[in-house]
Amino acid sequence: MATRRLTDTATEAVPPSPWPALWALVVGFFMILVDSTIVSVATPAIMAGLGAGVDSVVWVTSAYLLAYAVPLLITGRLGDRFGPRRVYLAGLAVFTLASLWCGLTDSIGELVTARVLQGLGASLMTPQTMAVITRTFPAESRGKAMSLWGATAGVATLVGPILGGVLVDSLGWEWIFIVNVPVGVVGFVVAARLVPELPTHVRRFDLLGVALSAIGMFLLVFGIQEGQTYDWGTITGPISVWSLIVAGLVVMGAFLFWQARTRGEPLVTLALFRDRNFSLANVAISTVGFAVTAMTFPIIFYAQGVLGLSPTGSALLLVPMAVVSGGLAPLVGGWTDRVHPSWIAGIGMVSFLVALLWLAAIMGPATPIWQLLLPVALLGVANGFVWAPIGSTATRNLPPSNAGGGAGIYNTTRQIGAVLGSAGIAVLIESRLAANLPASPAGGSSEVGVSRIPEALHAGFATAMGQALVLPAVVLLIGLVAVLLFARPRHLSRPSPAEAAAPVLPVVK
């Protein structure tokens, strides 16, 4: 007697591979993340080309990040209601058209307006990429998909400054935006062909929740993001930075209270946080977002101010991180599907901590570049080991009806972490410069420009930047505790769906 597995090729269609759809979505996801960092290199050229001052040109970046971060809770839920494919394509169309507008503008006010529209397009797109992964990849093979998503996020933050420097030097600042147009058109066509239509689930929209989340997130993100600009004091009249932050917290508290009480379809399903791994993954990714954003400033400032590297050269210093991270992504993705995520994410968090403290210890006026490349490569190991296990752990237990909402929450916490990292590192850098550099008659040590630091101040400046790197390392300790508390995923303690669904029948010869 022999055995065989029961199959019926006549009645069962083999589902198409979800990988082509994911690759199509990655094109747009990569583009919008590059745009989060590419403008920093072009800022001096934009100021010269449009005759703008510092106070107005900072809004070219701030307006984009605000419009990107604030609606993420809402846009994630839109994908559940109208389908992630439709919302993603709408966002990509808005982003591409806004990019063209940015490249053709001739005034700073018009550029800021176009950047707001660009940020809204990006906000529509981001949660859909993660939601499609959740809804098309089985839980037991989602790690490889999330590794691609995470590697894209990590590499894009490094490509932005490098690509920006090349485009500004060769074609002009307008081209950092215009280059998005052909990429966006190709991405739209590919996504329209390869991303499947998925069932929608939400029957009604929580309008009060939309209003409360938008207002609360705007007050909170604006207050944190612009706090350093206004020296954490008065913005105008009775409005101060701290009053905005407190008001934002109060409104977000009211939003959470409403979400808990509403009997309809809430904007954020708080029941998702009953899943231990979802809650812990959100804590962990917020610390990663904090660290990735915060660490860049001291490293770049040190490379330009002390080592004398150009903007493009300082960005190239981080290339080993991108190369190592991208090379590890496929391997880590496979391990994530077979190994407890605490082990993999824990390795990443510890590597992150060690690399930052290593850099902090060796930053000096005469440090050879090759010595810096070693901890930078370790940062690549860290990035390769954190994104996939944290992202896949957050999404493995999400029901399809909440895939978009869960992705919106996850990306919101990541973005809030990044905003906190930007604000926190700015305050600490100023404090460390004041402590390590002599005060100048012009107004203090913290006002020394990065590109014109006298050689006599190199040692103090390097020390200040090294001390600043301790902040993201300390924050990562919270993320390390979170990932070590991950529960064992369900798919690791049960047979695969194919094995469970296919009965073994006897065949008589």
Side-chain angles (χ1 to χ4, degrees):
M1 182 178 291
T3 61
R4 66 174 174 85
R5 295 201 180 275
L6 180 65
T7 61
D8 188 354
T9 55
T11 59
E12 291 184 6
V14 178
S17 170
W19 282 101
L22 178 57
W23 279 106
L25 293 171
V26 160
V27 173
F29 184 51
F30 182 83
M31 183 171 63
I32 61 179
L33 290 179
V34 165
D35 244 59
S36 299
T37 57
I38 197 172
V39 174
S40 59
V41 176
T43 297
I46 293 173
M47 293 174 65
L50 299 180
V54 174
D55 291 341
S56 56
V57 80
V58 295
W59 278 99
V60 176
T61 297
S62 296
Y64 176 82
L65 293 177
L66 275 171
Y68 181 17
V70 169
L72 279 171
L73 290 176
I74 302 167
T75 56
R77 208 58 170 159
L78 284 174
D80 289 331
R81 179 171 183 179
F82 299 107
R85 178 180 181 271
R86 294 180 183 179
V87 177
Y88 176 86
L89 290 175
L92 182 54
V94 170
F95 185 90
T96 303
L97 291 173
S99 296
L100 180 61
W101 186 11
C102 288
L104 298 178
T105 185
D106 58 1
S107 70
I108 191 67
E110 192 177 347
L111 178 58
V112 170
T113 304
R115 286 284 281 171
V116 170
L117 191 61
Q118 202 181 30
L120 290 174
S123 187
L124 286 167
M125 295 164 64
T126 300
Q128 316 318 323
T129 59
M130 200 170 179
V132 169
I133 293 174
T134 303
R135 296 178 63 179
T136 59
F137 283 84
E140 63 272 9
S141 61
R142 204 169 290 157
K144 291 182 180 179
M146 288 306 305
S147 71
L148 176 60
W149 186 86
T152 301
V155 173
T157 57
L158 303 178
V159 169
I162 298 172
L163 180 61
V166 172
L167 289 174
V168 171
D169 290 340
S170 58
L171 298 173
W173 67 265
E174 297 89 348
W175 283 89
I176 67 172
F177 302 113
I178 295 175
V179 73
N180 290 332
V181 176
V183 178
V185 171
V186 171
F188 188 94
V189 172
V190 173
R193 289 177 59 88
L194 297 178
V195 178
E197 286 280 6
L198 297 172
T200 57
H201 300 276
V202 178
R203 293 178 292 275
R204 59 186 295 272
F205 218 59
D206 178 15
L207 296 180
L208 179 58
V210 169
L212 288 174
S213 69
I215 294 171
M217 284 293 295
F218 175 82
L219 293 173
L220 193 60
V221 174
F222 179 87
I224 296 170
Q225 182 174 290
E226 302 301 317
Q228 185 65 19
T229 302
Y230 295 99
D231 198 25
W232 301 95
T234 301
I235 297 175
T236 180
I239 301 175
S240 67
V241 170
W242 286 108
S243 67
L244 288 183
I245 293 175
V246 170
L249 291 173
V250 170
V251 175
M252 288 305 293
F255 167 70
L256 294 176
F257 176 79
W258 170 249
Q259 296 302 286
R261 296 293 298 271
T262 182
R263 297 183 179 181
E265 291 282 355
L267 185 64
V268 171
T269 305
L270 297 181
L272 294 177
F273 289 96
R274 295 173 187 166
D275 182 89
R276 172 176 162 182
N277 282 352
F278 180 79
S279 299
L280 291 172
N282 275 277
V283 173
I285 199 61
S286 67
T287 65
V288 172
F290 185 106
V292 168
T293 303
M295 72 176 187
T296 306
F297 292 97
I299 295 173
I300 295 297
F301 288 170
Y302 166 75
Q304 293 184 22
V306 177
L307 301 182
L309 299 178
S310 67
T312 303
S314 59
L316 289 172
L317 185 65
L318 300 177
V319 164
M321 182 167 74
V323 173
V324 173
S325 176
L328 284 173
L331 294 173
V332 175
W335 296 335
T336 299
D337 290 327
R338 301 192 302 269
V339 181
H340 197 301
S342 289
W343 288 98
I344 302 175
I347 291 172
M349 289 292 192
V350 171
S351 298
F352 219 149
L353 276 163
V354 171
L356 290 176
L357 295 177
W358 187 356
L359 276 170
I362 66 174
M363 278 185 173
T367 305
I369 289 181
W370 69 265
Q371 288 188 18
L372 299 171
L373 296 179
L374 297 177
V376 168
L378 185 58
L379 286 173
V381 174
N383 273 274
F385 273 81
V386 295
W387 292 98
I390 295 175
S392 58
T393 301
T395 61
R396 284 202 200 274
N397 298 332
L398 289 183
S401 59
N402 285 307
I409 295 170
Y410 184 84
N411 282 283
T412 298
T413 56
R414 176 178 62 85
Q415 196 65 29
I416 289 178
V419 171
L420 288 171
S422 177
I425 202 68
V427 173
L428 187 59
I429 284 176
E430 183 174 2
S431 169
R432 293 298 83 206
L433 287 175
N436 287 280
L437 297 184
S440 65
S445 58
S446 63
E447 298 184 7
V448 176
V450 172
S451 61
R452 51 183 177 83
I453 299 174
E455 188 173 352
L457 301 181
H458 281 187
F461 191 90
T463 299
M465 295 303 103
Q467 292 172 349
L469 283 177
V470 176
L471 174 63
V474 170
V475 171
L476 283 171
L477 284 172
I478 301 172
L480 175 60
V481 172
V483 300
L484 292 179
L485 293 175
F486 281 158
R488 184 179 180 85
R490 297 171 187 169
H491 77 282
L492 292 179
S493 55
R494 59 177 173 79
S496 70
E499 293 172 342
V504 179
L505 299 181
V507 177
V508 179
K509 289 188 175 180

